[in-house]
Amino acid sequence: MERIMILTEEFDLEEAVKLVSSRNAGGYVIFLGKVRDDGDNRRVLKLIYESYDEMALREMRRIREEALKKFPVVDVLIWHRKGEVPVGGATMLVIAAGAHRREAFDACEWIVNEVKRTVPIWKREVTTDGTFWVEGDRRVPTG
């Protein structure tokens, strides 16, 4: 497994932590995004993620490299799902490993925001009221 991945199956959290483990890291901050069962007052059944893999991986690598330069962290991992993800399923995993917790927290938060802002991965929300493209807090019916 690699530090930057787009996966169709569940994340192996233990494997992910092993990938970024280092004798120099004393703090690991883990962000694990999951599908919740409500969206804009609708009952969510599942999310469907689509991505332009080549471009998404390139952007995720850029974010990782920038985080390693911008924050005094030891290592970074960014994984994202694509395809159908049921309620309760994991959608994004970010791990920042730092010598201390503060830089790991700062890096992890920055990475999550950058992934959501710049990586070409799109989300459709399947609800009891229909299917919607999700753009930030906005939902657009798929037609």
Side-chain angles (χ1 to χ4, degrees), residues 27-31 94-98 100-101 103-106 108-109:
Y28 295 81
V29 173
I30 298 169
F31 171 82
V94 173
I95 304 176
H100 305 283
R101 68 183 179 274
E103 58 258 26
F105 273 110
D106 291 345
C108 191
E109 181 178 32

Side-chain angles (χ1 to χ4, degrees), residues 71-124:
F71 301 93
V73 290
V74 176
D75 208 348
V76 166
L77 175 140
I78 307 169
W79 288 354
H80 206 294
R81 290 282 297 276
K82 77 172 186 179
E84 292 188 11
V85 184
V87 169
T91 60
M92 179 170 44
L93 175 63
V94 173
I95 304 176
H100 305 283
R101 68 183 179 274
R102 182 74 270 145
E103 58 258 26
F105 273 110
D106 291 345
C108 191
E109 181 178 32
W110 181 84
I111 292 163
V112 169
N113 289 335
E114 282 296 294
V115 168
K116 290 178 112 3
R117 189 176 71 79
T118 68
V119 175
I121 296 176
W122 303 277
K123 174 170 62 174
R124 277 184 291 154

Side-chain angles (χ1 to χ4, degrees), residues 36-44 47 123 125 127-129 132-141:
R36 62 184 181 276
D37 68 358
D38 70 323
D40 200 28
N41 297 319
R42 293 179 179 92
R43 186 162 165 262
V44 174
L47 296 180
K123 174 170 62 174
E125 187 177 73
T127 75
T128 52
D129 294 336
F132 303 85
W133 285 105
V134 179
E135 299 173 10
D137 291 336
R138 212 174 107 223
R139 282 160 178 76
V140 179

Side-chain angles (χ1 to χ4, degrees), residues 17-60:
V17 172
K18 283 181 189 175
L19 278 172
V20 295
S21 289
S22 167
R23 294 171 58 100
N24 298 325
Y28 295 81
V29 173
I30 298 169
F31 171 82
L32 180 64
K34 288 194 159 204
V35 178
R36 62 184 181 276
D37 68 358
D38 70 323
D40 200 28
N41 297 319
R42 293 179 179 92
R43 186 162 165 262
V44 174
L45 304 173
K46 65 183 171 185
L47 296 180
I48 303 170
Y49 286 92
E50 295 181 20
S51 70
Y52 179 176
D53 289 358
E54 182 182 338
M55 188 182 244
L57 289 167
R58 184 171 46 238
E59 182 63 13
M60 290 162 71

